[in-house]
Amino acid sequence: GLLAPGSWITLFGTGLTSGSTASARLGTVRLVGTSVLLNGSALDVVYAAPGQVNALLPGRLPEAPALSVRAGVMEGMAR
């Protein structure tokens, strides 16, 4: 799918966190041990649960964006 600069994204999966939490502040790059990376740079994460993570894309995207989710020691690529 297409990614729009500055938009919110939702990633779905299983075992993404061990619990659920939300943050009302931008600048939070890890919730419940989970972070979302865009070409290796951490995104703002506003919600994390075992089956879903919500993050904010930056205003400028790289030409070939690659998203990954880090949950503790596990890492998975989003496609």
Side-chain angles (χ1 to χ4, degrees):
L2 297 176
L3 299 175
S7 65
W8 293 100
I9 59 171
T10 300
L11 304 171
F12 296 99
T14 58
L16 298 174
T17 69
S18 60
S20 298
T21 192
S23 174
R25 292 186 340 205
L26 291 180
T28 302
V29 296
R30 183 177 293 244
L31 285 177
V32 199
T34 297
S35 58
V36 178
L37 305 174
L38 175 67
N39 290 27
S41 296
L43 300 180
D44 293 332
V45 178
V46 295
Y47 178 75
Q52 175 182 331
V53 177
N54 296 354
L56 179 63
L57 291 172
R60 295 183 61 122
L61 295 177
E63 197 169 305
L67 289 170
S68 61
V69 177
R70 283 197 180 148
V73 297
M74 298 184 68
E75 183 174 348
M77 297 297 291
R79 298 189 195 274

